[in-house]
Amino acid sequence: MWNSTCTFLLLIICVSGCTGPQDKDTIRFTDVTSVAGLSGFKHTSGASGDMWFPETMGAGVGFIDYDGDGWEDILLVGGNSWEGGESRAQPAVSLFKNNQDGTFSEVTTEVGLGGVQAYGFGVAVADPDNDGDQDFFLSTLNTNLFFRNDQGVFKEVGKEIGLADMDAWSTAAVFFDADQDGWLDVLVGQYVVWSPETDQWCTIDTVNKEYCTPELYKGLPLRYYHNLGDGTFQEQSSRAGFDVQTGKTLGIALVDVNRDSKMDVVVANDTERDLLFLNDGEGTFTERGLQSGIALSSAGKATAGMGVDTGVIDSTNQAVLMIGNFSKETLGVFQYSASGQFRDKSAASQLGTPSFLSNTFGLFLFDVDLDADQDVFVYNGHVHEKVAEVQEGISHAQYPQLFLNDGRGQFEEVDAKAAGIDERMVGRGAAYADYDRDGDLDVLLLENNRPARLWRNDNETGHAVQIKLVVPASGRSAIGARVEINHGFKKQIQWVKSGSSYLSASSQILTFGLGNDLKIDSLSVFWPDGLVETFTDIPAQQRVVLSQGQREIKTQYQFEGTSSR
């Protein structure tokens, strides 16, 4: 009797909480950089012995469907070399077209990007002119650039439309509808005041110059550009409340922490306190980083915030903020509570200790094994080539790390060698997308002054559904929409976002892992304009398109090569 009762109770527990958890020892990635046709690309920092500060930072990567064919294409930011203090030499950004067979072809020149030169850093992808195709913003060391997409050919119009109004070192950028008027606005992070003439001299041996730390440079405030709805933008940083704090921004992420259907903004600053801007409505924000508990570490110190992402990691369904920090600073993990405060979860999540020696730039939440919870990928690499000479256990090139979620918000690190990710790299930009349309999420990486990498996800995964949201009436982007799904006894929440990670742009298609479940029982879309729509009985193993107001589930395609699942 006792045994049968226990068996029954265990069965009930599993039915109400288990969705086919993945064994961490079966996680597999395959480096397909060469096969995919990306091996010819190399980021250039310009390093030639002068030890100029920007050379340490690296750049981002992005996925973009520039031609609207339903296959994710790739943007790689090139950096640049130096001559007389000016950047020169290679295209600021390179575009690789998805050939729909696992390979990519470089089309940089054909799409109008070949002659563009700048010392590039971050890329953000969106459709701010509501014409139905994806444009992109490129932050640079000097004047920022905006590339308008016209039937698959890009034209740089940054100054023309008001997004290149000053020369400054810009970094992360996000598109979002700050005032809910139907047009995407732009928030741009800035780093420090720097020029070749003001570069500081630092050393670790009293003889040779080395790269300095950001503490020696003056930080810059955020820049906010309001979309006027006529193809142009107006700088309104002060009116919106984004210029209240000078920072050294390297990461920006979006999330609606208090579920009021207005997107809030998390800002990761390097050696300055991190920021949380709560959306007051009508395009104004209040900074509440200190009051909410995310601004400083548990020791009360500002950290070297770099990559950042947001999501939901457990059954509380409360938003979590994750921030990548410097070596000897753990990952920042903060979970929102009903009181309006964030709780430090770096220890409870079991992410603190494994990340202590890592220097984390790229960072994102995604369901790598499709078992219905969000896992964590961090992309590491130090800024000083000689760090191993002065700090034991820390190297310039570092291993990336992948942490699997047990469904309760506790994480276990995957064995890097078994997973095929056991190469030390000088990690910087990192993004994800399902480039081969098989239902799971692949990873795009860029090292500083080194090559790009494309890792194909070859896990024995669970079932999944991908959701593409469309606002057909106005052409308006669905950035800011929240999707909540129920399947079996499980609930999941994701937002359509731009930005996150380190200077990078991941896919804006939402991928929901379902574990062993074969369908989504119910799905609710909380559209950016406040409309809520609910859909039921969506079968797994497909990408579906949900258009606002049409009450119809359209299958875009079945996943490639998933018949055995």
Side-chain angles (χ1 to χ4, degrees), residues 52-253:
W52 283 347
F53 187 41
E55 297 167 2
T56 66
M57 303 310 296
V61 295
F63 285 101
I64 181 173
D65 184 5
Y66 83 98
D67 53 1
D69 64 356
W71 294 79
E72 300 273 8
D73 310 299
I74 286 175
L75 288 168
L76 298 175
V77 180
N80 229 311
S81 57
W82 303 96
E83 182 175 312
E86 299 295 329
S87 55
R88 64 176 182 85
Q90 68 182 58
V93 62
S94 297
L95 178 63
F96 292 82
K97 176 180 171 58
N98 192 325
N99 296 324
Q100 306 181 15
D101 60 0
T103 69
F104 293 80
S105 297
E106 184 173 358
V107 293
T108 305
T109 300
E110 294 92 314
V111 300
L113 301 175
V116 179
Q117 294 190 4
Y119 199 112
F121 282 98
V123 61
V125 175
D127 180 21
D129 53 3
N130 288 351
D131 67 350
D133 53 28
Q134 290 191 313
D135 314 299
F136 72 94
F137 178 92
L138 180 69
S139 64
T140 82
L141 186 61
N142 302 115
T143 304
N144 293 324
L145 307 173
F146 180 80
F147 296 92
R148 186 171 60 205
N149 188 343
D150 183 12
Q151 297 182 346
V153 177
F154 291 95
K155 180 181 180 182
E156 201 287 305
V157 294
K159 289 186 178 180
E160 177 183 329
I161 66 174
L163 289 180
D165 60 333
M166 65 178 296
D167 287 347
W169 184 349
S170 298
T171 52
V174 294
F175 289 94
F176 73 120
D177 188 358
D179 54 358
Q180 297 180 298
D181 65 351
W183 298 90
L184 292 177
D185 311 297
V186 188
L187 182 64
V188 180
Q190 299 187 108
Y191 195 45
V192 300
V193 177
W194 180 90
S195 69
E197 293 75 26
T198 61
D199 191 74
Q200 300 293 306
W201 194 90
C202 296
T203 184
I204 60 176
D205 61 8
T206 73
V207 176
N208 298 297
K209 183 183 179 185
E210 294 292 341
Y211 295 112
C212 294
T213 64
E215 287 95 335
L216 297 181
Y217 295 92
K218 179 182 178 181
L220 293 166
L222 296 157
R223 299 279 289 180
Y224 168 75
Y225 300 89
H226 175 60
N227 191 330
L228 299 179
D230 61 359
T232 67
F233 293 79
Q234 184 179 71
E235 191 275 323
Q236 296 184 2
S237 308
S238 181
R239 176 192 173 278
F242 284 114
D243 66 347
V244 297
Q245 177 70 32
T246 297
K248 299 171 183 175
T249 299
L250 292 179
I252 306 177

Side-chain angles (χ1 to χ4, degrees), residues 48 51 61-62 84-85 169 191 206 231 249 280 287 314 318 370 376 382 396 400 409 442 458 479 497 500 513:
S48 60
M51 300 292 177
V61 295
W169 184 349
Y191 195 45
T206 73
T249 299
D280 301 325
E287 203 286 301
D314 60 24
Q318 296 287 4
L370 303 181
V376 179
H382 211 276
H396 183 222
D442 312 295
D458 289 333
I479 289 175
K497 303 178 295 183
S500 293

Side-chain angles (χ1 to χ4, degrees), residues 383-561:
V383 296
H384 294 293
E385 292 186 5
K386 299 179 181 179
V387 64
E389 298 177 11
V390 294
Q391 295 193 48
E392 184 177 356
I394 300 176
S395 59
H396 183 222
Q398 300 180 0
Y399 291 114
Q401 294 172 287
L402 176 63
F403 299 93
L404 289 191
N405 191 341
D406 68 355
R408 298 171 296 173
Q410 296 180 340
F411 295 84
E412 184 175 5
E413 186 172 359
V414 169
D415 180 85
K417 184 174 182 180
I421 57 175
D422 59 332
E423 182 178 352
R424 293 181 187 268
M425 291 179 277
V426 186
R428 295 297 187 263
Y432 62 83
D434 180 15
Y435 82 90
D436 52 3
R437 307 211 315 189
D438 66 351
D440 54 28
L441 293 170
D442 312 295
V443 174
L444 179 66
L445 305 169
L446 183 60
E447 294 190 75
N448 186 31
N449 206 35
R450 295 187 181 191
R453 307 294 180 94
L454 180 63
W455 287 350
R456 187 181 65 214
N457 188 335
D458 289 333
N459 299 312
E460 297 176 4
T461 56
H463 301 105
V465 174
Q466 293 177 351
I467 310 295
K468 179 179 180 179
L469 299 182
V470 177
V471 186
S474 64
R476 177 182 180 178
S477 170
I479 289 175
R482 181 172 87 250
V483 175
E484 299 185 0
I485 72 166
N486 292 280
H487 57 101
F489 291 87
K490 181 82 172 181
K491 180 176 183 177
Q492 295 188 61
I493 301 173
Q494 291 188 41
W495 288 266
V496 180
K497 303 178 295 183
S498 71
S500 293
S501 191
Y502 175 74
L503 313 184
S504 296
S506 292
S507 174
Q508 293 169 14
I509 307 297
L510 301 182
T511 296
F512 286 96
L514 304 181
N516 294 328
D517 293 334
L518 299 177
K519 68 173 183 174
I520 293 175
D521 298 319
S522 66
L523 180 151
S524 295
V525 182
F526 298 77
W527 295 95
D529 63 0
L531 177 67
V532 180
E533 294 184 291
T534 298
F535 305 83
T536 59
D537 296 326
I538 303 176
Q541 302 308 96
Q542 61 175 331
R543 176 178 291 184
V544 301
V545 179
L546 304 180
S547 297
Q548 183 175 0
Q550 295 187 1
R551 307 291 302 164
E552 183 181 359
I553 302 169
K554 295 183 179 179
T555 298
Q556 186 174 16
Y557 58 81
Q558 300 287 332
F559 296 148
E560 304 276 336

Side-chain angles (χ1 to χ4, degrees), residues 292-311:
S292 68
I294 75 152
L296 305 171
S297 71
S298 57
K301 297 181 179 180
T303 57
M306 293 176 281
V308 60
D309 202 6
T310 60

Side-chain angles (χ1 to χ4, degrees), residues 8-37:
F8 176 75
L9 290 174
L10 288 171
L11 178 61
I12 292 298
I13 292 171
C14 188
V15 167
S16 62
C18 297
T19 51
Q22 181 76 25
D23 181 349
K24 68 182 182 67
D25 295 327
T26 66
I27 299 296
R28 297 285 187 277
F29 282 93
T30 302
D31 187 333
V32 295
T33 308
S34 180
V35 173

